[in-house]
Amino acid sequence: MNLSFLSLPFAMQLLYALPLLIVPYLLRKHQREVIVPALFLYQGLPAASRQRLWGRPQITPLFFLQLLILLLLIAAAARPFLHQPGSKVALVLDTSASMQAQAPNGSGSVFDLAKRQILQALDTIPASDMIGLFVTTPFPTPISASGEDRSRLPWLLSQTLVTDAPDPSDDVLSAFFSQLFGEQGFQHIFFFTDRSLAAPVNTNALTVVTLGGPQTNFGIASFRLYRSPFVPGEVDATVAVTGADGPGNWTVSIEDANTGKQLAARTFTKEEAGEFSFSHLPLTTMYRARLQVQDGLALDNEAYAVLPLLTQVPVLLVTPSPHVARSLEGIPNLKLERIAPQEYTPAKAVQFAFVLFHLTAPDTLPPTNAAFLLPPEGNTLFTLGKTTSRVQVTQWVTAHPLTSYMTFSLFSPAYAQALQPTGWCQPVVSATVGPIVLAGEQEGRRYVATGFDVLPYLGKKNLPVSIFTLNLLGWLAAQVGQPPSLKTGTSLPLAEASATVRSPDGEVAAPTGGMVILRKQGVYTISEYGVERRVAVNLANEQESRLARPLRLHPLTAPAPIAPETAGRPLWPWLLLGALLLLALDRWLGARPRTRNRSVAVEAAT
């Protein structure tokens, strides 16, 4: 080790400081009282009678003490440090959700195994090396300073928790490693993860310590609730399951997240991985989908959803029959406005969630979702086919929302006319005369056409047609009021600076920059402007559910040469502390003679 300085050369700084010592001394030698800044530094010099310039100085020991104090302050300003022969080493710990997978030997999780590996690595790294500790999720972050005392690193490591967030992308990891090598001057990086390099990188300064290994794993890729605004009591759900090569049978269940009570369940085989539907779920505020299967990662076997809030849906009814509008007034959350066909304009249509064209049709598709109920002869949108007064349904698409809860053996409108499919729609329900329900999407908008009349709405008096009408309205509403799906690792923006957020484990999450990072899976509670709302946050990441997937890094920047200021141990804090201690000693010693002199003066006066 050798001593170095980051500021001006030490000798030059000392040369600049000598006048601060000499000038006050000379002034004190030629007059008894001189006012100078920081006079206390010169109180140890005795008052002398006038002498010639080159007279013998009378210096007390306090002078040398004060000189030492000044030299320590100058040395501290120069910011010296001790060179160390070691380099900088970065220990990067993968804290992504897949690290919660079971360890191969059954001793805890892969994350626990990674922590033990880091502790072993700390014992093998030379004591002269400086160590920095980092985590990767939700984004790469240091959890210790590069000059952190090594004895604190095990404690910092013990406080580090795994998150429910997915890995940052391989591009982000590549950029992070290049930054550690380039800007931060690390000479070696150890990355502890459950992933393995797909191909060697262009430097030996990166060591990827792969823990765990490939395991059979299933996961819930998405969990969605559907609640039609027009049938508030009906809740449906879809659960998408991803994975392969699992056990022969597994079960998907829907539970009340508040109580854990099971609401519905279905059993499948491994060949049936895909999306599954659950109908007629009981009403509750929070739902949990659970995948009951023995696999490598338990976290992705759960997902949460919050019951959607319902609001009124503005709907435009274009019809030549005014009386049919009154029949729709009994449907909940339907805010209806009726106009005559000649009053319709595309500009008016965009103000509504969707438009119902009853016994009429525009010349072009409207700029919003729309239904065409029994379009008239000669319309420009649909080609009409045969008619019948004895409707008998022969075929329907079972997976389409328009056919949910339908019993077509009881479905018997009084009149129907076949519709010829066009390029943007396909038959959903067909009868003996041909397709009588067409549906499709065009430029992100939903359209449906029926060859029979669903108005007036009769409710329970004509239950099959009423169920179809509610399905039609719900599909056109396109899940109005559904909360957006949130993913772990993303940020939730807050509308109010003083908003409070409670995480799924009940702890209050501290907002940063007007947002909260979603580190855990579950239901968050947000209080803003006196209103409380809940949002569901899920991992729902198919890539993260692929355990031990390959790590593909870009070419990395070679490590930068070791800089002295980054490889040395700073000494200026100790020099400053020594100066302060000596200054306190100087004040104490300087006060003692004055106390004795005052005592002598008092005795002489008496």
Side-chain angles (χ1 to χ4, degrees):
M1 295 185 183
N2 62 320
L3 187 65
S4 298
F5 300 86
L6 296 181
S7 302
L8 295 173
F10 181 71
M12 184 178 296
Q13 297 187 40
L14 181 59
L15 181 62
Y16 291 159
L18 286 177
L20 299 177
L21 299 173
I22 297 174
V23 172
Y25 172 73
L26 294 177
L27 292 175
R28 291 292 300 272
K29 292 296 292 179
H30 293 280
Q31 63 183 61
R32 292 186 176 277
E33 293 185 2
V34 177
I35 299 175
V36 296
L39 187 60
F40 69 90
L41 289 176
Y42 310 106
Q43 290 175 354
L45 297 175
S49 60
R50 295 181 181 273
Q51 297 180 5
R52 56 191 177 87
L53 180 62
W54 304 107
R56 182 179 179 182
Q58 298 179 4
I59 300 176
T60 67
L62 284 179
F63 173 82
F64 297 102
L65 178 62
Q66 293 163 359
L67 177 62
L68 179 60
I69 292 172
L70 188 57
L71 292 177
L72 288 176
L73 291 175
I74 295 173
R79 296 176 62 193
F81 59 90
L82 291 175
H83 279 300
Q84 293 182 345
S87 61
K88 292 180 66 176
V89 178
L91 303 180
V92 182
L93 175 59
D94 187 347
T95 51
S96 64
S98 60
M99 293 290 286
Q100 300 182 44
Q102 297 178 1
N105 56 5
S107 57
S109 65
V110 176
F111 186 72
D112 297 330
L113 182 59
K115 281 184 162 184
R116 292 194 292 269
Q117 290 283 345
I118 291 179
L119 291 176
Q120 294 176 10
L122 288 174
D123 294 334
T124 61
I125 297 175
S128 58
D129 288 353
M130 299 178 64
I131 300 175
L133 194 58
F134 300 83
V135 295
T136 61
T137 53
F139 39 80
T141 308
I143 60 174
S144 73
S146 57
E148 188 78 52
D149 185 2
R150 182 176 293 204
S151 61
R152 292 191 72 242
L153 293 181
W155 180 83
L156 290 173
L157 185 64
S158 67
Q159 301 302 306
T160 303
L161 302 176
V162 67
T163 70
D164 293 346
D167 266 322
S169 67
D170 293 350
D171 294 341
V172 171
L173 287 175
S174 299
F176 172 59
F177 292 150
S178 293
Q179 183 186 43
L180 290 181
F181 284 138
E183 298 178 14
Q184 301 193 32
F186 283 92
Q187 300 299 301
H188 203 104
I189 299 175
F190 292 90
F191 182 33
F192 297 84
T193 179
D194 63 331
R195 304 173 62 185
S196 57
L197 278 172
V201 293
N202 60 323
T203 176
N204 294 327
L206 173 67
T207 301
V208 177
V209 182
T210 302
L211 306 164
Q215 298 185 60
T216 297
N217 188 59
F218 278 70
I220 297 177
S222 69
F223 175 38
R224 298 181 60 191
L225 293 179
Y226 177 71
R227 183 189 188 191
S228 170
F230 314 113
V231 192
E234 290 290 343
V235 178
D236 299 337
T238 59
V239 180
V241 178
T242 182
D245 301 327
N249 295 314
W250 39 275
T251 299
V252 177
S253 61
I254 308 293
E255 303 173 353
D256 183 340
N258 297 302
T259 63
K261 178 182 178 181
Q262 188 176 97
L263 306 178
R266 294 176 61 183
T267 301
F268 308 94
T269 62
K270 66 178 181 179
E271 290 81 9
E272 293 180 294
E275 185 171 279
F276 310 102
S277 300
F278 295 83
S279 303
H280 304 290
L281 295 176
L283 282 176
T284 186
T285 56
M286 295 184 294
Y287 295 81
R288 177 173 55 215
R290 188 186 297 275
L291 180 60
Q292 299 175 16
V293 63
Q294 296 294 326
D295 58 3
L297 180 63
L299 176 67
D300 59 0
N301 294 340
E302 291 186 356
Y304 294 82
V306 176
L307 184 69
L309 298 177
L310 298 180
T311 57
Q312 285 191 329
V313 181
V315 177
L316 178 64
L317 174 62
V318 184
T319 178
S321 304
H323 67 280
V324 299
R326 291 192 295 270
S327 68
L328 296 173
E329 293 177 355
I331 298 178
N333 300 308
L334 186 65
K335 185 179 180 181
L336 191 68
E337 180 178 335
R338 188 201 72 83
I339 62 173
Q342 60 271 21
E343 299 174 7
Y344 167 79
T345 61
K348 189 172 183 62
V350 297
Q351 305 174 29
F352 297 86
F354 58 88
V355 181
L356 300 177
F357 293 94
H358 177 238
L359 305 178
T360 185
D363 295 333
T364 59
L365 291 174
T368 185
N369 295 356
F372 308 93
L373 310 176
L374 196 58
E377 292 282 352
N379 76 89
T380 60
L381 296 179
F382 304 97
T383 302
L384 305 183
K386 297 179 180 180
T387 63
T388 180
S389 58
R390 301 181 62 182
V391 181
Q392 182 178 356
V393 175
T394 58
Q395 192 175 2
W396 61 91
V397 179
T398 57
H400 202 283
L402 292 173
T403 61
S404 298
Y405 313 125
M406 291 292 297
T407 303
F408 283 104
S409 60
L410 304 177
F411 185 78
S412 57
Y415 171 84
Q417 185 169 33
L419 304 172
Q420 299 299 322
T422 62
W424 53 266
C425 61
Q426 298 296 326
V428 176
V429 180
S430 298
T432 53
V433 292
I436 58 174
V437 177
L438 303 177
E441 297 190 22
Q442 178 83 347
E443 298 181 353
R445 304 183 186 98
R446 293 181 175 183
Y447 301 108
V448 59
T450 65
F452 53 92
D453 198 356
V454 300
L455 299 179
Y457 176 75
L458 301 178
K460 294 182 179 180
K461 295 180 181 179
N462 190 351
L463 198 56
V465 176
S466 298
I467 292 175
F468 177 83
T469 302
L470 294 174
N471 288 343
L472 181 147
L473 297 176
W475 187 67
L476 291 178
Q479 299 183 15
V480 172
Q482 296 285 327
S485 59
L486 296 174
K487 308 291 185 183
T488 54
T490 59
S491 297
L492 174 67
L494 303 175
E496 185 185 15
S498 59
T500 60
V501 180
R502 289 199 308 274
S503 60
D505 53 12
E507 296 183 358
V508 177
T512 303
M515 58 184 60
V516 171
I517 300 176
L518 306 174
R519 302 174 184 270
K520 302 298 291 184
Q521 177 174 265
V523 178
Y524 287 72
T525 304
I526 301 101
S527 298
E528 293 175 315
Y529 299 112
V531 179
E532 191 172 85
R533 61 187 176 99
R534 294 182 176 89
V535 295
V537 178
N538 295 304
L539 172 62
N541 188 293
E542 191 170 345
Q543 290 296 319
E544 195 71 15
S545 294
R546 292 177 52 206
L547 302 182
R549 64 194 182 283
L551 174 63
R552 295 178 173 85
L553 297 177
H554 301 314
L556 302 177
T557 303
I562 300 177
E565 60 268 25
T566 60
R569 188 174 298 278
L571 294 180
W572 66 267
W574 300 103
L575 295 176
L576 184 60
L577 179 62
L580 294 176
L581 293 176
L582 291 179
L583 186 60
L585 177 62
D586 173 75
R587 296 296 295 159
W588 181 73
L589 293 175
R592 294 180 61 190
R594 291 196 299 271
T595 303
R596 287 197 298 269
N597 292 338
R598 285 196 297 268
S599 300
V600 172
V602 171
E603 293 176 0
T606 56

